[in-house]
Amino acid sequence: MGLPELNRRTFFKGAGALAATAVGAQLLVGCNASKVRGYGGSPRALPIPPVELGVREGNKVHFTLVAQAGDTQILPDVTTHTWGFNGTHLGPTLVMKSGDEVSVDVTNGLDEMTTVHWHGMKLPAVADGGPHSPIGAGQVWSPEWTVANEAATLWYHPHTHGLTGLHAYRGLAGMIIVEDEAATALDLPQDYGVDDIPLVLMDHRFLEDGSLDEEDLPDLGLLGDTPTVNGITNAHFAASTRRVRFRLLNGSNMRFFNMAFSDGRQFQVIASDTGLLDSPYEMSNLAIGPGERWEILVDLEPGEDVTLESVGFADNFGVPDDEFVPDFGMGDSFQLLTITGPAEDAATAPALPGLLVKSTVPDIIDAPERSFVLNTFSINDQQMDMQRVDVIIDHAEPEIWKVTNDNSDWPHNFHIHDARFKVVSFEGTDVELFNEGWKDTVGLPPGATATLAVEFGHYPDPTWPYMYHCHMLYHEDQGMMGQFVIVNPGDKPAVHLGSGAAAAGHEH
Ligand code: C2O
Ligand code: CU
Ligand code: CU
């Protein structure tokens, strides 16, 4: 039927209805069907990343992570060489409590350098694990910090200069659950792996021999055509309770998912990137871009079947639909997780808490304002330079960051380290994104300007920079990243930054 000649975006445009016939949609996803190997096959039980509580003594908790390589079955009965932490693919879910004094030994058991960054965490820059903190093959890196974050779903992944995307794509990514007393006291599902379920969303491409296709596509980098949840395709979750909390993490390099259930049912959004929402929001679809997290609650009837899907963005995320624009996959529909409801005798779900957390907003009256203009692979016309400080913050107060996607035909997003922010305005686009709550990463359709009220962790240190960047990892790796330092009033950044300072013989 001449399908390959059709523009894929055109074909899927407004085709939300196709989602209802997800099997049909699957077959059509990606024009290059020969590369979508084994995406069908029989469903396998959703793997739950092992929980890692660390070794605890009072509020001191020690974690051990080993980055390693190995063989994994992402596709059924196909062996793929992958990377993982404490295993062959992905990493354990680290559980920490607000106020914990955390130490981690990260051993690099790979045969090349990597780094590990704690995405969403407020912490000293020396512990942040950015590109200035390389861990050579066979080396151990031992950061320490006190958990200042409130209850939230965070994550960890490499931040290797120019190679973040590839390292994450190979499987170096894991979740962090931060707990606090107020959140634990809420009547929310919180039995990990039972009714509190982590979902690490990614996408990959495979070569005929089952290995990962690691070729960067022009403009699209490692955009995949085969979605995975917790490291496998075609995952199935058999619920044992009527209410399930899913912690969604988009760990993909380049893909924006538009989450919905196959029957269009409503679900409750309870948390954004960096914490609980003030109160639950009822939604029927929810965008999640690379790096972002959302927590949702869904109620299930005994014995029913429903599928968690990514339905294409009806508006193509504001990306123009023509042959000169790369296909960012905004129209693609995927079946992500089939779910069956609990047994007939499962207890009825309790009433939803009306309030989750006390509403707070950063005080931005008189706050300094900065603007960041994203265009192709640059921010404010500059590309990442490890020895250039782009922003100096010499105070502890919040700032207003105005972030613009200046491309007319590319999506971007924007992530800030050591920070959480609220989106106080969102303009320049007709695309409506749900931007409630504390976030650390915000999606930016073409033309969009997001005004952010940003609260930073205050750990003045002139030597170690933090990063801000587009979290579409190909963009980041191509240089769409800048550095900021937080210093005491009047202080200047060090001449040599980060590990460069050590090499230059400076103490930090
Ligand atoms: Cu997810 Cu700079 O990080
Ligand atoms: Cu980060
Ligand atoms: Cu970008």
Side-chain angles (χ1 to χ4, degrees):
M1 74 195 195
L3 202 60
E5 282 91 62
L6 273 179
N7 179 310
R8 175 156 40 133
R9 281 187 312 273
T10 309
F11 187 75
F12 277 104
K13 193 142 197 182
L18 257 183
T21 57
V23 174
Q26 267 180 41
L27 295 173
L28 295 167
V29 162
C31 294
N32 198 343
S34 70
K35 284 196 172 175
V36 189
R37 281 191 49 160
Y39 175 37
S42 41
R44 287 175 289 168
L46 176 74
I48 303 292
V51 72
E52 182 52 75
L53 301 174
V55 178
R56 181 175 288 275
E57 249 188 75
N59 69 337
K60 289 193 185 358
V61 58
H62 183 73
F63 295 96
T64 306
L65 290 175
V66 181
Q68 58 193 81
D71 289 329
T72 305
Q73 291 199 352
I74 301 178
L75 303 169
D77 303 318
V78 177
T79 299
T80 303
H81 194 65
T82 53
W83 286 1
F85 293 105
N86 304 358
T88 65
H89 197 211
L90 305 178
T93 298
L94 311 181
V95 179
M96 307 174 182
K97 297 183 204 309
S98 291
D100 276 353
E101 292 175 30
V102 167
S103 58
V104 193
D105 285 333
V106 185
T107 300
N108 182 356
L110 303 164
D111 51 20
E112 56 192 282
M113 185 268 276
T114 192
T115 80
V116 177
H117 163 61
W118 321 101
H119 179 132
M121 197 72 78
K122 286 183 175 176
L123 76 185
V126 67
D128 187 48
H132 291 274
S133 302
I135 316 168
Q139 306 267 282
V140 184
W141 177 61
S142 303
E144 296 179 352
W145 71 92
T146 299
V147 178
N149 288 64
E150 295 167 6
T153 301
L154 312 181
W155 67 302
Y156 58 100
H157 64 78
H159 221 296
T160 323
H161 186 57
L163 291 169
T164 295
L166 182 61
H167 288 193
Y169 182 80
R170 288 177 174 171
L172 292 181
M175 205 175 260
I176 301 173
I177 295 178
V178 177
E179 298 177 339
D180 66 26
E181 279 172 23
T184 304
L186 292 168
D187 200 354
L188 294 174
Q190 45 195 306
D191 195 352
Y192 182 85
V194 177
D195 60 9
D196 183 347
I197 308 295
L199 297 181
V200 182
L201 313 175
M202 288 199 179
D203 61 346
H204 291 95
R205 277 178 274 126
F206 295 90
L207 299 173
E208 283 304 320
D209 66 358
S211 58
L212 290 174
D213 182 352
E214 299 186 342
E215 189 189 329
D216 282 327
L217 301 172
D219 302 329
L220 302 172
L222 294 171
L223 180 72
D225 54 17
T226 306
T228 58
V229 180
N230 295 349
I232 68 165
T233 55
N234 209 2
H236 175 74
F237 176 66
S240 60
T241 58
R242 294 191 190 225
R243 179 170 293 158
V244 176
R245 173 191 203 156
F246 288 118
R247 295 178 188 257
L248 308 173
L249 155 63
N250 183 344
S252 78
N253 267 237
M254 294 294 283
R255 183 169 289 282
F256 289 74
F257 293 100
N258 189 14
M259 309 300 294
F261 288 91
S262 48
D263 58 0
R265 78 180 55 194
Q266 309 272 306
F267 52 87
Q268 304 287 333
V269 187
I270 57 163
S272 51
D273 296 335
T274 11
L276 291 165
L277 301 181
D278 305 346
S279 36
Y281 273 77
E282 195 166 69
M283 309 275 292
S284 58
N285 66 290
L286 182 61
I288 183 167
E292 287 183 296
R293 290 87 63 212
W294 293 106
E295 295 178 29
I296 64 171
L297 300 180
V298 63
D299 286 341
L300 302 165
E301 291 301 321
E304 72 169 336
D305 292 303
V306 68
T307 302
L308 181 61
E309 302 181 333
S310 175
V311 295
F313 290 89
D315 50 16
N316 211 40
F317 206 74
V319 179
D321 187 6
D322 69 58
E323 57 187 307
F324 305 106
V325 178
D327 183 354
F328 292 92
M330 295 297 184
D332 296 347
S333 299
F334 296 114
Q335 194 174 25
L336 295 172
L337 179 70
T338 55
I339 300 166
T340 49
E344 216 44 71
D345 57 359
T348 321
L352 268 183
L355 291 178
L356 300 171
V357 78
K358 203 156 98 239
S359 179
T360 45
V361 189
D363 177 10
I364 47 168
I365 301 172
D366 299 329
E369 184 172 325
R370 305 178 196 268
S371 52
F372 299 86
V373 177
L374 281 63
N375 195 303
T376 311
F377 298 127
S378 66
I379 300 177
N380 292 346
D381 292 325
Q382 289 191 296
Q383 293 197 287
M384 170 71 172
D385 177 341
M386 297 261 290
Q387 286 303 324
R388 185 188 68 234
V389 173
D390 299 282
V391 171
I392 303 168
I393 298 175
D394 67 349
H395 58 87
E397 284 73 49
E399 297 202 344
I400 300 171
W401 284 26
K402 232 177 161 162
V403 189
T404 299
N405 177 354
D406 200 31
N407 282 109
S408 61
D409 52 2
W410 280 24
H412 293 294
N413 69 10
F414 194 75
H415 167 55
I416 310 174
H417 287 208
D418 184 47
R420 61 176 189 175
F421 54 73
K422 292 224 164 153
V423 180
V424 295
S425 78
F426 193 75
E427 299 159 325
T429 174
D430 292 334
V431 177
E432 286 180 31
L433 293 180
F434 183 72
N435 278 326
E436 292 298 321
W438 289 109
K439 296 186 57 59
D440 57 48
T441 307
V442 62
L444 296 167
T449 295
T451 304
L452 314 175
V454 194
E455 198 186 83
F456 297 90
H458 190 65
Y459 309 95
D461 181 344
T463 301
W464 291 83
Y466 298 101
M467 307 294 133
Y468 55 84
H469 55 91
C470 181
H471 216 290
M472 296 175 77
L473 297 180
Y474 184 62
H475 296 180
E476 174 191 330
D477 286 333
Q478 293 294 312
M480 201 167 203
M481 177 152 65
Q483 309 195 96
F484 67 102
V485 292
I486 295 184
V487 294
N488 286 312
D491 275 8
K492 294 260 170 302
V495 176
H496 298 283
L497 296 176
S499 52
H506 290 239
E507 286 292 336
H508 55 81

